Each structure stands twice: as C-alpha cells, then as structure tokens.
Amino acid sequence: MSSPVSFRVSERDVYIIIDAGTRPSEVKAEQLQKAWQASDYSAAKLLDPQMMAQTATKYAQHFSKDSNSSISFQVIIAEIFDADLNLQVSDDDMKVTASGIVGFGGKALTQEAIIAKLKEKKVTSGIQRKAIDALVEHTNEAPPGAELSVTVAKGKYPINGSNAKFKPLADDARKRVLRPQLREDGTADMRDLGAQVTVDPEQPLLQKIPPSKGRPGFTVFGQELEAHDGEDRDFKPGEGTRVSETDSNLIVADRTGMPSFNDNSVQVDDVMQLNNVDVSTGHVKFKGSVIVSGNVSEGMKVTCSGDITVGGYVDSAELYADGNITVRKGCIGRLLNSGETAEHDEDADDWIPDVSTKLVAGGSIWCAYAQYSCLDSQNGVHTDKQLTHCHVITKGQLAIGGEGRNARGKLIGGTIETCDHIYCGQLGAPAGTKTRIYWSLPPVDPQSLEHLKNMRAVLAKTLARIKVVQQGLDRCQTLEDGPKKLEYETKLKGEVRKLKARIVTTRTSIDSVLEAFENHPVLRTMVSKEVFPGILFIFKEKSLRIKEHRNGTMFLLQDKQLRVDSLV
C-alpha cells in the first residue's frame, strides 16, 4: 500500500503533499516525520522544529472543513540551502580565512567555486589546495549547518638576509682555562688546564660567513614585499695574521703563537706562561698574551698587548689587556675608601666604589664572579654567578649567569655604567642594597664623530679669532680720532659681525648633529627572576627608583624615557 504522503520541490521550497480523502488518523505527526526522514529532501531545513506536528494539525482542520475535496493538501515545510562560503582577508593582506557552512539539502562546495570566489576577491597568490580540498570534503560529509574555518591562502613574509658573521676556527686561552683536564678516574683536575693553546703558520683562524641575500615575500593579492640583504663587514687581520691567499673569507696565522679573537678580528700573540703572579715574579708587562695558571696576588699588576687568562683568582690586583681578560675562579677586592663615612657613601645615589681590584680590557671580560672590583671593558662583561658591589664600565652587554630570559646570576650593589643591555636573574638584595645603573646612549659612528670634531675645531678657532679682533677694537679706543681710526674700527666691527654669524651657524650645526646622536635603540635590563627595592636607574637628569619587590621585570630606556614592564 502506497503512502498518502509525498514531497515536491519548487525552486528552494519543499512542499509536503497529502492525498485527498486521507483520514487525519493516517497522517499524524509521527507518521509525517517518518515519511520526511525517508524522503530525498530530509536534509532541507524545516521552517520550524515542530513542523510535522503543525502540519498534522493543519491537515486535520482542513479535513474537518472539506472532507470530500478531491484536491490534495499541500503546504511548504522546509527550504533548501546550498553550502555557504565566507572569506575574510587579514588586515595585513597576508592570510585569507574561509568559513564553509554545510548546506541544507543543496549543493556542496567545489574546488572551482572556491577558487572563483577567491578570484572575485582578487586573491591570486599563496592558495592552499589542501585547505580547499578539506572545505569541499567538509561540505559533502558533515551534517547540515556544520561550520569549518581554514586558511585557504597565505602570503609569504619577506626574510631579510643575515649580516656577515665571523666564526673562530681555533680555541683561545679562555676555552682552555674553562676546560680543566680529566684524571684517569674521570674527575676534573682543576689545576691542570692542559697544553697551551698555540697555532702554527697557515693554520685557519677566523672564517667570514658572507652576508646572505634577502628573500622577498608577497601578499595574497600578489603584491611583492621587499626584503633587505644582509650587511657586509670587513675582516680585520691583526698582528701575526693575514688573509688567506686562496680564500678571501679566511684569516690564517702568519706565525706561531696564541690566537686572540675580538669579533671580526684575530691576532696571534707571543705567550708568557706563569704559575702565579706575586712578589716572586713582580709586576708583569708583556707584548703578547699572558697565561697565569694560578692566582694574581694582592698588589700585583699584569699588563699586556694581547689577552690575559687567569686560572685561579685575582685578589686585590690590577689587570690591563688590549684584548680579552678571563678569570676562571673570581675577582676579589675590597673598598679603599672604607672609613667612618663608608656606610653613608655607599648609600648615596652617586656613590662610585673605589676598589682594590681592577680589570681593564680592550675586548671583553669574563669571570666566575666578582666582588668589590672595577671591570672596565670595551666589548662587554660576562660573569657566571654574581657581581657584588662592583663598578662596571662597558660599551657592550653585561650578562650575569647567561643572556636574555636564561640569565640566572645576581647583580647586587655597586654602580654600572653602560650603553647596552643588562641580563641577570636577580637585581638587588632583600636588604635593599643600593644598586645604581647609569645608562648612556650608544656611541655614534666614527664619520659622524669626525664631522663633529671638525665643527668644534672650527668653532674654537672662530671664538679665538673673535677674541683677537675684540682686543683690536679695544685698542682702537686709545687712538686719536681721525680717518685712520674710523677706517680701522669699521673694518674690525665688520669682521666681528661675520665671526658672530659664523659662530651662530656652527653652533646650530653642532646642535643638530648632537640631536641626531640622541636617536638611540631601545636599551633593556632584563631580570628573569626577581627585583628588590633599592635599585636606581639614571639617564642624564632622569631617574627611576624601585621601591618594591617585583618578580621578573624588564626595565627600558626608550625614546630617552625610563620605563618598567612586567616580564611575562
């Protein structure tokens, strides 16, 4: 027996049809629902969730009014919807997100339809075929109304080329001293630092890795995004080295000696090796590098043109090196101004510790720890554990126990003068120990400095000349009145006017150059763990005091302003 219920579609509307003369008891809501689920249109969207119950009620009312009608009963119960596609382009034109919504009984999305929609938006580059296939599959397989969002087009960000780099190809004295030899039982012999690090003529020392080309990118609209090539830097062969005859990107040794590396330069030094520096050796002054396997004792001085490497301690002594200084164990000093007013002085904002241990390096300084020491370095100071009540002067980074967020060392008390970043795990101490950090602007390029120097020389010369001319005018007043006095006075006054105009112009030019020098990169002090009260940051006339305990914190010198940010 055939069912009295059928369905038909007109455009987007789905009609239910009940044969004329069918008794209401044969078409109750449950029966209509079963017929709907068994039909080819069951995926269409019902106008109302209770549509079958409403239809059964309407049909019963219709039958009671005209039970003898020969016309079938029909009413719209659902609509057919095709799958929907929405495209969203990111603000930077680097990504297109497509949201596909499964249709209700209508057509699924196709690759062709999606690509056509992208072309309408003028999206031509970075189209993701696999994402499009996923959308097509979703609108064919997922239940009606289900939504899926995928990235169907991706731009490519430009990749700037890397700058030229320099790779050391030999160990230096620092690596030697930080790598004690192993005994037969596997333990480290802290006194045995192994053989002296030496190189032979023609041995490769420093390799230049040339700058790389930048790789341009593009937006999803096909617009090219420019990339910058890496910057090149020159080799600087030092004493005892030269550029290889067969490879212009390689510096080789030109004699036997100990290599000393300093960024883009390397030199080979003669080496003096000592067990200790004390009263038995006297002060040491050597043209080359000095290796002390033991300690440098109180009151002693070591001066050299290369590197200084100390395997033990530096105790109230002074080290001066044109290269790098490495102290494996630590630097120990004491206050020299420790009188009755020492406590007051140490709490003053402008206190500079006068200490008994001093290290001055033309390169970098590395030590395990330091207390009451002056560390003066051109290229940065690195300590493994902590700095306590020290005076640090450097144009490079100060890193204590690592760099960036990995720094774990402690910086407690003393005065820091730098124009670069500072990294530590702990800044200050629970007792509120006064710790001062003086920030200055990074040095400017040599050409600008030379220009400034020349303008200042012109200004000084002009000021000296106007002083002489003014003295001549003063002497004019002692002459008798007459044509010669008038001529002389008029000439000198004219020259004074010209000199004053030149002074104004020169000073304006100097001010403009100095103002340009003030534009600086952001300087950071990154404290990874905690900051205690008593910290004072100073930049020129500006200051920032920390009066509360803080967790990880970033302190910034940005646009000549001191700022504090949480380290998240």
Side-chain angles (χ1 to χ4, degrees):
M1 180 178 178
S2 61
S3 172
V5 179
S6 61
F7 302 90
R8 74 177 180 86
V9 174
S10 176
E11 296 182 350
R12 301 176 63 87
D13 298 328
V14 180
Y15 290 80
I16 187 170
I17 303 170
I18 302 175
D19 294 344
T22 303
R23 301 186 65 78
S25 59
E26 299 178 31
V27 288
K28 292 187 177 296
E30 296 80 2
Q31 295 162 314
L32 294 178
Q33 185 66 32
K34 287 181 180 179
W36 171 249
Q37 293 295 338
S39 73
D40 295 333
Y41 311 107
S42 59
K45 188 173 185 179
L46 292 171
L47 300 181
D48 190 281
Q50 304 299 319
M51 199 69 229
M52 296 309 170
Q54 296 174 13
T55 300
T57 300
K58 288 181 180 179
Y59 179 73
Q61 294 171 350
H62 167 77
F63 186 83
S64 65
K65 292 181 181 178
D66 192 3
S67 59
N68 296 322
S69 173
S70 59
I71 302 174
S72 299
F73 173 84
Q74 61 179 338
V75 65
I76 299 173
I77 62 167
E79 286 185 277
I80 291 176
F81 293 95
D82 293 338
D84 192 23
L85 177 67
N86 293 313
L87 299 179
Q88 181 67 43
V89 182
S90 62
D91 293 338
D92 60 0
D93 297 340
M94 296 301 288
K95 183 171 71 172
V96 179
T97 302
S99 297
I101 302 175
V102 180
F104 291 82
K107 297 177 182 178
L109 294 175
T110 64
Q111 287 185 352
E112 294 76 11
I114 296 173
I115 291 175
K117 195 75 175 283
L118 288 170
K119 287 183 177 179
E120 285 181 18
K121 288 265 191 181
K122 298 183 179 180
V123 175
T124 58
S125 300
I127 294 175
Q128 308 292 299
R129 294 285 178 175
K130 289 185 178 180
I132 291 175
D133 291 342
L135 271 182
V136 172
E137 182 179 355
H138 171 74
T139 56
N140 275 294
E141 303 294 337
E147 183 174 358
L148 174 67
S149 294
V150 294
T151 300
V152 293
K154 289 181 182 178
K156 183 178 179 181
Y157 287 98
I159 301 176
N160 292 330
S162 57
N163 296 335
K165 299 178 183 178
F166 301 91
K167 179 182 178 182
L169 302 178
D171 286 349
D172 58 7
R174 176 185 168 185
K175 290 183 180 179
R176 170 181 181 267
V177 80
L178 298 180
R179 193 168 53 210
Q181 301 300 296
L182 297 179
R183 300 186 180 95
E184 291 183 1
D185 61 2
T187 59
D189 185 347
M190 308 308 287
R191 296 179 180 272
D192 184 3
L193 302 179
Q196 180 176 301
V197 177
T198 58
V199 294
D200 298 320
E202 302 300 325
Q203 182 172 337
L205 298 179
L206 189 65
Q207 179 185 15
K208 176 181 177 180
I209 301 173
S212 62
K213 294 285 187 181
R215 288 183 286 174
F218 56 82
T219 69
V220 294
F221 299 118
Q223 179 183 359
E224 184 174 305
L225 301 175
E226 182 183 2
H228 299 289
D229 295 338
E231 295 182 3
D232 198 5
R233 297 174 64 196
D234 291 333
F235 259 153
K236 290 184 179 179
E239 188 175 347
T241 69
R242 59 178 173 79
V243 176
S244 170
E245 296 174 357
T246 59
D247 186 350
S248 61
N249 289 322
L250 189 66
I251 290 180
V252 298
D254 205 26
R255 67 185 182 190
T256 300
M258 187 178 75
S260 173
F261 298 94
N262 188 0
D263 190 25
N264 63 335
S265 180
V266 60
Q267 65 186 44
V268 174
D269 299 321
D270 292 330
V271 181
M272 173 183 284
Q273 189 158 10
L274 302 166
N275 291 327
N276 294 286
V277 176
D278 51 29
V279 292
S280 66
T281 63
H283 298 316
V284 175
K285 188 172 184 180
F286 185 68
K287 187 177 181 181
S289 292
V290 176
I291 297 178
V292 182
S293 57
N295 304 320
V296 180
S297 299
E298 182 175 358
M300 306 311 299
K301 292 183 182 180
V302 179
T303 306
C304 74
S305 62
D307 294 350
I308 297 176
T309 306
V310 180
Y313 295 96
V314 175
D315 186 356
S316 295
E318 297 181 15
L319 308 183
Y320 301 89
D322 292 345
N324 306 314
I325 296 178
T326 301
V327 182
R328 185 177 178 276
K329 291 188 176 178
C331 302
I332 304 169
R334 66 179 190 279
L335 280 177
L336 296 178
N337 56 353
S338 55
E340 296 180 357
T341 60
E343 183 177 351
H344 170 74
D345 290 340
E346 196 162 348
D347 286 336
D349 287 350
D350 57 354
W351 182 72
I352 301 292
D354 184 11
V355 291
S356 59
T357 295
K358 187 171 186 179
L359 279 64
V360 180
S364 62
I365 293 175
W366 186 95
C367 61
Y369 69 90
Q371 63 183 35
Y372 290 110
S373 300
C374 176
L375 309 177
D376 187 342
S377 161
Q378 290 291 312
N379 293 343
V381 174
H382 302 263
T383 62
D384 191 39
K385 297 176 182 176
Q386 70 180 41
L387 286 178
T388 309
H389 303 290
C390 290
H391 183 197
V392 176
I393 307 168
T394 181
K395 294 179 182 177
Q397 292 182 358
L398 171 60
I400 307 171
E403 295 185 8
R405 294 173 182 265
N406 296 322
R408 293 294 180 266
K410 299 177 181 179
L411 174 55
I412 302 172
T415 300
I416 312 299
E417 300 179 53
T418 183
C419 54
D420 210 318
H421 306 309
I422 299 173
Y423 302 109
C424 62
Q426 174 182 317
L427 182 58
T433 306
K434 182 68 71 68
T435 306
R436 306 153 198 80
I437 296 175
Y438 285 84
W439 255 325
S440 58
L441 299 182
V444 296
D445 65 275
Q447 288 184 345
S448 297
L449 284 175
E450 186 65 24
H451 179 52
L452 180 62
K453 179 181 177 182
N454 292 338
M455 285 193 296
R456 282 175 167 166
V458 169
L459 179 61
K461 187 176 180 180
T462 308
L463 290 171
R465 176 59 184 166
I466 202 172
K467 184 177 180 181
V468 172
V469 175
Q470 190 62 53
Q471 288 173 348
L473 275 174
D474 293 341
R475 286 196 295 270
C476 270
Q477 305 307 316
T478 63
L479 299 177
E480 294 182 5
D481 292 339
K484 285 188 176 182
K485 177 183 177 182
L486 181 60
E487 179 185 355
Y488 188 37
E489 192 174 36
T490 302
K491 182 179 179 181
L492 291 178
K493 285 182 177 179
E495 187 171 357
V496 166
R497 285 194 297 271
K498 290 179 181 179
L499 291 172
K500 285 183 176 180
R502 187 184 301 170
I503 289 170
V504 171
T505 303
T506 306
R507 281 178 169 162
T508 302
S509 299
I510 291 173
D511 290 343
S512 64
V513 172
L514 291 175
E515 186 177 352
F517 289 172
E518 295 293 302
N519 296 325
H520 65 91
V522 178
L523 302 183
R524 297 176 175 85
T525 291
M526 185 182 293
V527 186
S528 61
K529 289 185 176 179
E530 54 186 338
V531 180
F532 291 97
I535 311 303
L536 175 62
F537 288 88
I538 301 170
F539 172 67
K540 294 187 176 181
E541 73 283 356
K542 299 181 177 67
S543 63
L544 172 65
R545 295 180 186 273
I546 306 304
K547 301 180 179 180
E548 73 284 347
H549 177 265
R550 303 174 64 92
N551 293 323
T553 303
M554 178 88 78
F555 300 95
L556 304 169
L557 174 60
Q558 186 174 26
D559 297 329
K560 307 174 195 173
Q561 300 298 321
L562 295 166
R563 291 179 42 217
V564 182
D565 282 343
S566 296
L567 190 61
V568 180

